[in-house]
């Protein structure tokens, strides 16, 4: 890890997590279903990643794609997934929930934080979907979260760098603001300097091509290529941060 910046890699599989570690990542956020914004990975994925990693492992707790307003059954799923993360030796979990009116669902999030116990807590980009980011940040701080992952309410962190800077100033030493969404080796330097964020979050993804020699033409959608974190892209992100 560089002395100034922490690089977290969003990893959509155990293989992605290992590649991220090889490239110089400081921490992993593990999930699956990258194309749908991420959901909670399987117990097997978490266990294998935990066995393979020497760096901190945080797991996304999100029961489905779509919005961040959850009902009782979905809340129960998240609570059970957090319990499993504790059992498997994870370092932290990544949570978030909103009310129908775009406020932080403080009641549900308090349950999730309590279930996590000693685990670290990141509040995910449900934050960016909140009605008012300044108010939402105070609520997240009140929950006791270590950090919030944000693009400043914009489509990507580069576009939201000014709002991220305002959030950093508001949070000061009470919470870390981690910039994420659309970061690459080409822009991570600028976002880090402009926002003041000391933690940066990227996926460093690259298309992996199928190695199958046999293909059923009728099943091309099933036997397709996939995305995976790439060690060389992670190393490039690390190098760009070291240069800051």
């Amino acid at each position: 890890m560089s002395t100034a910046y922490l690089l977290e890699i969003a990893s959509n599989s155990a293989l992605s997590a290992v590649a991220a570690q090889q490239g110089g990542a400081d921490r992993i956020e593990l999930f699956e279903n990258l194309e749908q914004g991420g959901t909670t990975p399987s117990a097997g994925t978490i266990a294998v990643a935990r066995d393979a990693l020497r760096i901190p492992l945080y797991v996304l707790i999100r029961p489905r794609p779509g919005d961040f307003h959850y009902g009782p059954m979905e809340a129960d799923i998240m609570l059970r997934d957090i319990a499993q993360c504790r059992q498997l030796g994870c370092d932290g979990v990544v949570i978030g929930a909103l009310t129908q009116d775009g406020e932080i669902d403080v009641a549900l999030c308090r349950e999730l934080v309590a279930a996590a116990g000693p685990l670290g807590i990141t509040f995910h980009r449900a934050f960016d979907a909140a009605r008012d980011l300044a108010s939402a940040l105070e609520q997240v701080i009140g929950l006791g979260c270590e950090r919030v992952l944000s693009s400043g309410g914009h489509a990507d962190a580069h576009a939201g760098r000014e709002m991220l800077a305002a959030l950093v100033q508001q949070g000061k030493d009470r919470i870390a603001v981690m910039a994420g969404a659309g970061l690459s080796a080409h822009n991570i330097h600028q976002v880090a300097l402009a926002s003041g964020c000391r933690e940066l979050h990227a996926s460093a993804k690259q298309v992996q091509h199928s190695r199958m020699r046999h293909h059923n033409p009728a099943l091309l959608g099933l036997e397709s290529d996939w995305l995976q974190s790439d060690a060389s892209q992670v190393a490039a992100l690390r190098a760009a941060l070291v240069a800051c």
Side-chain angles (χ1 to χ4, degrees), residues 31-239:
F31 61 95
E32 59 188 26
N33 292 324
L34 172 64
E35 296 79 3
Q36 294 183 300
T39 54
T40 305
S42 72
T45 296
I46 298 170
V48 169
R50 178 68 286 170
D51 287 347
L53 295 176
R54 303 179 304 277
I55 59 178
L57 171 63
Y58 278 53
V59 173
L60 176 63
I61 305 299
R62 189 181 181 212
R64 58 161 171 80
D67 67 29
F68 303 102
H69 177 62
Y70 302 113
M73 185 176 290
E74 292 165 326
D76 190 25
I77 291 169
M78 290 190 285
L79 291 167
R80 295 184 190 213
D81 282 339
I82 289 172
Q84 188 168 73
C85 288
R86 290 183 64 172
Q87 182 179 359
L88 292 171
C90 298
D91 298 284
V93 290
V94 183
I95 68 163
L98 300 177
T99 69
Q100 287 178 299
D101 294 319
E103 307 291 336
I104 303 298
D105 189 338
V106 173
L108 174 54
C109 288
R110 278 179 180 156
E111 289 188 64
L112 301 178
V113 170
L119 301 187
I121 304 285
T122 299
F123 197 97
H124 59 53
R125 287 189 66 213
F127 175 81
D128 286 324
R131 180 194 298 272
D132 180 83
L133 297 191
S135 175
L137 186 63
E138 294 301 323
Q139 292 177 304
V140 172
I141 291 170
L143 290 167
C145 297
E146 293 176 306
R147 70 188 56 81
V148 58
L149 171 62
S150 177
S151 61
H154 290 257
D156 60 73
H158 185 266
R161 61 193 184 279
E162 291 184 5
M163 175 57 74
L164 286 168
L167 293 169
V168 168
Q169 288 301 309
Q170 179 185 343
K172 294 185 179 177
D173 59 352
R174 298 181 295 161
I175 192 170
V177 177
M178 179 166 59
L183 292 182
S184 69
H186 301 292
N187 65 16
I188 196 169
H189 179 112
Q190 184 179 4
V191 171
L193 294 179
S195 68
C197 292
R198 294 296 179 180
E199 300 189 19
L200 292 301
H201 171 100
S203 60
K205 57 186 179 290
Q206 181 171 304
V207 174
Q208 301 293 309
H209 297 289
S210 174
R211 294 182 293 274
M212 292 288 295
R213 288 189 294 271
H214 168 76
H215 292 279
N216 181 344
L219 300 178
L220 288 180
L222 191 62
E223 298 180 351
S224 60
D225 300 334
W226 68 96
L227 293 172
Q228 185 173 302
S229 298
D230 177 72
S232 63
Q233 290 196 34
V234 176
L237 286 161
R238 163 60 62 220

Side-chain angles (χ1 to χ4, degrees), residues 9-33:
I9 297 298
S11 301
N12 64 334
S13 67
L15 288 171
S16 284
V18 170
Q21 178 174 261
Q22 291 171 342
D26 299 307
R27 185 174 61 226
I28 299 297
E29 183 202 9
L30 185 65
F31 61 95
E32 59 188 26
N33 292 324

